[in-house]
């Protein structure tokens, strides 16, 4: 009910933006609700501070107050960030919303205050289609806003790399590393995960980082000159980078195998939530999960390449059972 009311309120604002005066019947028809519901929604707008006046008489209805522009939409920073994220990722989760989401984003940017418009524009996203998508880990809005702002403003980013469980290594721990300085160039959404593509200033290397694995320090304000991503295609770069900080998703069955394919090839087609390791120029190791051992074996088979060093034994047994079934296909 609350969601329906909010949706109609936005529709009412859109109608008043297009034409200041409407009859009660027209509004009811456009919103596909009763006239009584329209009256309640108009009262909601008035409580929010929108100057909607009642026009009396046979041709009466409602009119946006003369001489009063539409007030800015009342979004705080977190709401503006949520709207920006939702609109920019809508086309990857709901079929056919790409154009509508883009138009909605442009419309909202025209009516929010300048400061919030800047917040909405801080995220420059690239969304990649992956047919193995599943929900990714949550990201703190503050971290996402900080990273998105650094990307948009072209400011050097300083961060600590977090462990897979989200904790920061103790300085005395073996996996401790000092803060990294990175030129952040792109935010990429792929397979339910957020990745940051940047140029590492410590070792002069392009890297891909999971945003949920970053503890971002205070903004540096240090600007950098844009560089071109290797190959000129950010999508290809992310999908062929095997070291993205990924960890295996939680599945009933998790197995690993050595594949006679280079890591960049396997990383391009591996399901989200898998881990690809570079072994040499012609071999890589894939760790992957599924709801059954047969499922793990089946996914490995899709690469159509020689496999070895399969673990655990349950995966080996599942592969043998599948092979026996396929051998018996022509005998039936």
């Amino acid at each position: 009910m609350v969601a329906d009311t909010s949706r109609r309120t936005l529709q009412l604002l859109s109608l008043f933006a297009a034409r200041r005066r409407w009859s009660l019947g027209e509004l009811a028809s456009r919103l596909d609700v009763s006239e009584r519901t329209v009256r309640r929604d108009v009262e909601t707008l008035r409580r929010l501070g929108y100057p909607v006046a009642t026009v009396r008489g046979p041709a009466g209805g409602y009119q946006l107050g003369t001489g009063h522009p539409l007030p800015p939409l009342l979004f705080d920073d977190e709401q503006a960030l949520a709207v920006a994220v939702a609109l920019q990722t809508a086309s990857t989760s709901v079929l056919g919303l790409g154009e509508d989401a883009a138009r909605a984003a442009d419309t909202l940017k025209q009516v929010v205050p300048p400061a919030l418009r800047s917040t909405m524009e801080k995220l420059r996203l690239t969304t990649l289609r992956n047919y193995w998508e599943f929900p990714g880990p949550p990201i703190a809005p503050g971290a996402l806003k900080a990273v998105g702002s650094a990307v948009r403003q072209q400011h050097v980013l300083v961060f600590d790399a977090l462990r897979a469980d989200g904790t920061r290594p103790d300085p005395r721990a073996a996996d401790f590393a000092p803060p990294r300085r990175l030129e952040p160039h792109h935010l990429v959404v792929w397979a339910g995960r957020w990745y940051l593509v940047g140029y590492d200033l410590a070792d002069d290397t392009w890297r891909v980082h999971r945003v949920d694995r970053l503890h971002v320090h205070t903004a540096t304000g240090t600007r950098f000159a844009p560089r071109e991503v290797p190959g000129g295609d950010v999508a290809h770069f992310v999908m062929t980078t095997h070291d993205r900080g990924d960890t295996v998703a939680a599945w009933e069955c998790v197995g690993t195998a050595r594949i006679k394919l280079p890591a960049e090839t396997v990383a391009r087609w591996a399901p989200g939530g898998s881990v690809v390791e570079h072994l040499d120029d012609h071999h890589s190791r894939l760790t992957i999960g599924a709801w059954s051992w047969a499922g793990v074996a089946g996914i490995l088979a899709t690469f159509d390449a020689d496999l070895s060093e399969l673990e655990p034994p349950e995966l080996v047994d599942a592969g043998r059972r599948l092979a026996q079934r396929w051998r018996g296909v022509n005998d039936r």
Side-chain angles (χ1 to χ4, degrees):
M1 182 64 70
V2 173
D4 289 341
T5 302
S6 299
R7 175 177 53 81
R8 290 196 310 272
T9 301
L10 287 175
Q11 288 179 300
L12 265 177
L13 287 174
S14 178
L15 291 172
F16 282 124
R19 196 177 87 200
R20 288 183 174 273
R21 184 168 178 172
W22 294 84
S23 71
L24 180 59
E26 286 176 321
L27 291 176
S29 176
R30 287 296 191 98
L31 299 174
D32 193 24
V33 295
S34 68
E35 293 184 356
R36 181 179 179 183
T37 298
V38 172
R39 292 190 185 96
R40 287 203 303 264
D41 291 342
V42 167
E43 287 303 315
T44 298
L45 286 182
R46 288 170 174 165
R47 287 195 299 271
L48 292 173
Y50 292 88
V52 181
T54 300
V55 179
R56 305 295 180 183
Y62 295 101
Q63 177 177 309
L64 189 67
T66 304
H68 293 278
L70 274 174
L73 290 179
L74 303 178
F75 286 148
D76 56 28
D77 280 2
E78 286 69 26
Q79 289 172 320
L81 180 67
V83 171
V85 170
L87 290 176
Q88 292 189 62
T89 58
S91 60
T92 64
S93 57
V94 182
L95 183 64
L97 282 188
E99 182 179 347
D100 293 334
R103 289 192 298 106
D106 289 339
T107 300
L108 283 172
K109 288 175 185 177
Q110 302 307 311
V111 296
V112 297
L116 295 186
R117 186 181 309 125
S118 175
T119 297
M120 294 179 65
E121 291 174 346
K122 282 177 181 177
L123 297 178
R124 186 175 68 191
L125 302 181
T126 298
T127 56
L128 312 179
R129 184 64 183 271
N130 184 291
Y131 291 94
W132 302 90
E133 291 181 4
F134 56 90
I139 299 176
L144 188 57
K145 185 162 59 176
V147 173
S149 178
V151 170
R152 177 176 176 271
Q153 297 175 6
Q154 297 176 350
H155 287 172
V156 172
L157 194 68
V158 179
F159 63 86
D160 294 315
L162 302 177
R163 293 188 174 114
D165 61 3
T167 61
R168 298 169 67 181
D170 185 274
R172 296 165 295 182
D175 59 346
F176 174 78
R180 310 294 298 184
R181 292 176 58 84
L182 189 87
E183 295 178 355
H185 283 72
H186 298 275
L187 270 175
V188 175
V189 181
W190 183 41
R193 283 172 164 76
W194 293 71
Y195 296 97
L196 172 64
V197 179
Y199 189 81
D200 194 299
L201 296 174
D203 51 15
D204 296 326
T205 302
W206 282 92
R207 296 193 181 280
V208 179
H209 292 277
R210 287 264 298 272
V211 177
D212 60 301
R213 303 280 172 78
L214 305 181
H215 174 77
V216 182
H217 290 213
T218 303
T220 64
T222 303
R223 293 186 61 85
F224 62 86
R227 304 174 190 260
E228 184 176 357
V229 170
D233 186 339
V234 66
H236 183 268
F237 180 70
V238 171
M239 290 188 290
T240 58
T241 298
H242 64 277
D243 184 14
R244 296 186 294 259
D246 287 331
T247 53
V248 183
W251 290 98
E252 292 287 334
C253 305
V254 175
T256 182
R258 177 186 174 101
I259 303 180
K260 192 176 181 181
L261 285 174
E264 58 266 24
T265 300
V266 176
R268 172 68 178 84
W269 301 107
S274 58
V275 174
V276 182
E277 301 173 60
H278 169 83
L279 298 180
D280 57 44
D281 290 344
H282 305 289
H283 297 84
S284 58
R285 187 181 307 282
L286 175 62
T287 303
I288 195 170
W291 64 274
S292 69
W293 292 114
V296 177
I299 295 172
L300 290 172
T302 63
F303 288 90
D304 194 23
D306 290 342
L307 303 174
S308 60
E309 302 176 14
L310 274 70
E311 295 288 345
E314 290 86 350
L315 175 58
V316 178
D317 292 339
R320 289 171 177 163
R321 289 195 301 273
L322 288 175
Q324 292 173 354
R325 289 169 185 162
W326 277 107
R327 279 195 296 268
V329 167
N330 292 331
D331 298 334
R332 297 174 182 171

